[in-house]
Structure formats: structure tokens, C-alpha cells
Amino acid sequence: RLNAGQTPFFEPGFEDLLSRTSARLTFSTDMADLADATVHFLTVGTPQSPSGAADMTFVDQATTNLLPYLHEGSVVVGKSTVPVGTAERLRAMIEPTGARLMWNPEFLREGFAVQDTLTPDRLVYGVSTGQEDLVEVLDQVYAPILERETPRLVMDFATAELVKVAANSFLATKISFINAMAEIADSVGADVTMLADAIGHDPRIGRKFLNAGIGFGGGCLPKDIRGFVQRAEELGVGAAVSFLDDVDQINLRRRARVLDVLSEELGDLAGQTVALWGLAFKPDSDDIRDSPALDIAENLARAGAQVRAYDPEAMGPAAARIDKAGLAGHITLVDSAEQALDGAAALVVATEWKQFRDVDPHTLDARVVVDGRNCLDRDSWKAAGWTYRGMGRR
């Protein structure tokens, strides 16, 4: 599909970029086709294992399979998110071939991956002592980016490996902090959105990532904080990041909060029909990995509710997961946001797609709406006769 110019997943701008650059791109599953390359980027996934640690199977397989095609002058550049210490282990595998290793973590946000690739906010190079000349290799690769004076930081392997997990852990902590404040706001009748606006004016805090809701998901933040905790424990410094367990638990509680709110409004959820707008873990993506939206759909189904769900891009991946979970009889995927409302006693907005935010509530029959992302115009929905329930909003 890639060789035919077809994108295998939804990402804004990717299809156009693939089309424009197809003459200079070749995709292959045969490692021998890489033998003439000088720079080899290692970009495979590191999913969460049952223990919580990062599963290094794909990184190790890719490295092992590449070894026969490396030679003097080859440069392997690791971009995968890995436990600290991985680069040194891989270097011992790679250097006997005459090749050398660098570490160059990625900081792509789903929904902004093309933008973040072409105009990153920084470049991080991890190099081992005595091999600083490798910096020139990546400088050539990233020449157009560096010409725009993009910050470039050169550091040792361990620090470069820590950058990504440290950044994701900080962002996850910030999100869970405001969600913890939402729990308190609900209990005392305060408004967490106004609270976030107020503390966000402090330049030491900032407003970004202070949007309370049903929490984060996807293939990075949940996996990375759990893997970080696991690795820290292996290194004997688990106490240093033990707070990340609380960050994780706060995040997971936000999903359960939606069912609590629905129960407060509807009573027993068994036999109730609930509309769900959104299945992807975030807008502008079809990724359902650790999606709070899909988790809520499944929990509603297990509580005996009938769920009618719609997402602009994630219907295919969601259908496969719902079938695998044996919940197809309780979760119905429909063709539009409006269809999801047919016969529903309440609406849950679980992914903040623009088309959901832009809906005119006056054109819909009023009922209960649970704004899981605090993304709707509360006053407009209330004026249209809806019973509005936000996350930490009185």
C-alpha cells in the first residue's frame, strides 16, 4: 500500500506528503534492500509487556536482522522509545560490524506527526564518548531543519534515552494533576476550567496540558510511564518515580467517572441507550490504543447499557476490538454523530473532534450530555435545553 502511495493509517497531511515524495521513497520487507544505505533509522515499536516494562522484541529483532548488512561507515540511529541502558546494549551488538550507533529520540504527536517531523521544536543526539564526529552525519540528514535554527542538543546515550520518557512522564503528571483537581472541584462545586485558566497564567505553570476530562490514552503516555516505573525499579531507584503510579491511577479513574455521572442522571444503566461521540484516543487520529473513549464504551456495555458510537476515523479499528471483546451485541457503530443519538437517553462526548465541538445543540433533541473532554460550549448546550455535565465543572 505504501509503495502504491496509500496510507495505512489516518494522520493529517501524511497522504499528501507520501504522494509528493513517492518518487524518492521505496518500501520493502527485505532487509537486504538496505545494504547500500549509510544511515539506518531504527524506528520500531516498544509496546507494553504484561509486566509493564517495554517489550524490546521488535527492537532486538530489527537490530539482529540488520547486522549482516552493516559495514564500516554505516551509522545506526535509534529513534524507538526504549528503557535507559538499551543503547549501550545495542552498541555492543553493532560495533563488531564496523558500524556505529547514535540515539535520536522522536517527539511526534499523533495528529501533528508531519508537522513535528518537518518542524520539530528540538533535535536530540545521543552519542558515546569519542564518537562526537557522528554529529555531522545527522546534521547532514537534518540540514533543512537545522537551517531554521532548530535547537540541537548533543548528549550521552543515557540522557538521550531518558529525554523521551521524562517528557512524557511530566506531561502525564500535568494532565493527571488537573484531573485530580477536577475530582475536588466536583466535590465542592468549583469549576476546574476556570481554575486551570487562573493557575495557567503563572508562567512557571502554563496553560497547556491543563484540560481536565477523561484522561490520556494512546500508545505513548500510558505505556511510557509504566515502563519508566518498571525500569527504575530494575535499577533500584523505583522510589524516585513511585508517584507515577498515582498519576496512572488518577488517569484511569477519570474513565470510571463518566459512568458515575451517567448513573447520577439516569439511574441504573442496565437497559439504557447511550450515544458515544468518539472512539479514538484523541482527535485527528484513528488510534484506539488505550483509548479512554473505547474503554468507556466497553464499560457501559458491561454495565448492561446499549451503546451507539460514532468516530470520523476510528470505526474500523474499533469494530475489530469490539468483536474481539465479544461486545458487538452491546456496542453499535453507526454512520454519523446524529445517528448515534437515535433512542439514546444521554450523550457522552469522549473524543474532542472539531465536528463534535462545532455541532449546534439547538438542532438536536435535548437530553443529558456528559462532556468528557470539556470541549463543548456549556452555555449554548444548556440554552438548547440539554442537561450539561462536564468533568469538574459545576
Side-chain angles (χ1 to χ4, degrees), residues 103-124:
W103 213 261
N104 176 220
E106 57 85 12
F107 305 103
L108 309 186
R109 299 167 295 166
E110 290 190 51
F112 300 91
V114 172
Q115 172 186 322
D116 290 347
T117 299
L118 300 180
T119 57
D121 51 22
R122 79 283 206 193
L123 294 170
V124 172

Side-chain angles (χ1 to χ4, degrees), residues 9-269:
F9 53 82
F10 176 74
E11 177 65 37
F14 180 38
E15 187 169 9
D16 175 65
L17 184 65
L18 184 62
S19 174
R20 288 190 287 109
T21 58
S22 59
R24 295 188 290 118
L25 290 170
T26 302
F27 298 91
S28 174
T29 57
D30 186 351
M31 196 71 81
D33 291 337
L34 307 180
D36 294 335
T38 301
V39 180
H40 300 269
F41 282 94
L42 186 65
T43 67
V44 295
T46 52
Q48 182 179 319
S49 68
S51 70
D55 184 347
M56 298 300 293
T57 301
F58 303 121
V59 170
D60 291 343
Q61 285 181 348
T63 304
T64 300
N65 292 342
L66 180 61
L67 291 178
Y69 306 103
L70 296 176
H71 49 76
E72 192 78 30
S74 296
V75 178
V76 179
V77 184
K79 292 195 76 71
S80 302
T81 304
V82 297
V84 62
T86 299
E88 286 292 351
R89 181 171 64 81
L90 296 183
R91 182 174 69 160
M93 299 170 60
I94 289 167
E95 288 193 343
T97 69
R100 294 190 291 172
L101 177 71
M102 298 183 68
W103 213 261
N104 176 220
E106 57 85 12
F107 305 103
L108 309 186
R109 299 167 295 166
E110 290 190 51
F112 300 91
V114 172
Q115 172 186 322
D116 290 347
T117 299
L118 300 180
T119 57
D121 51 22
R122 79 283 206 193
L123 294 170
V124 172
Y125 296 0
V127 296
S128 57
T129 302
Q131 299 195 1
E132 290 79 5
D133 60 300
L134 286 176
V135 169
E136 296 180 11
V137 175
L138 274 191
D139 281 354
Q140 292 179 45
V141 173
Y142 291 130
I145 295 171
L146 291 171
E147 287 171 0
R148 295 193 297 270
E149 299 185 351
T150 302
R152 186 202 66 185
L153 296 89
V154 181
M155 58 195 67
D156 57 86
F157 280 160
T159 307
E161 290 170 312
L162 282 171
V163 170
K164 177 64 179 292
V165 292
N168 279 354
S169 295
F170 183 84
L171 295 176
T173 301
K174 196 170 182 181
I175 296 168
S176 282
F177 170 82
I178 201 63
N179 278 325
M181 295 304 100
E183 293 183 13
I184 295 173
D186 274 335
S187 72
V188 299
D191 189 312
V192 74
T193 301
M194 297 177 71
L195 172 67
D197 290 341
I199 66 175
H201 279 290
D202 187 327
R204 297 169 301 174
I205 297 173
R207 184 62 175 82
K208 290 184 177 180
F209 285 83
L210 283 181
N211 294 318
I214 55 176
F216 55 80
C220 289
L221 261 62
K223 169 184 75 73
D224 288 352
I225 63 172
R226 295 164 191 161
F228 198 10
V229 169
Q230 184 72 18
R231 182 58 176 150
E233 290 177 350
E234 292 170 355
L235 294 169
V237 289
V241 292
S242 60
F243 69 94
L244 290 177
D245 286 326
D246 292 328
V247 167
D248 197 12
Q249 290 306 309
I250 292 169
N251 186 57
L252 294 175
R253 282 204 303 272
R254 301 312 294 163
R255 307 176 187 196
R257 176 61 182 159
V258 171
L259 271 70
D260 293 341
V261 172
L262 285 171
S263 296
E264 291 170 10
E265 295 293 339
L266 305 180
D268 189 357
L269 296 179

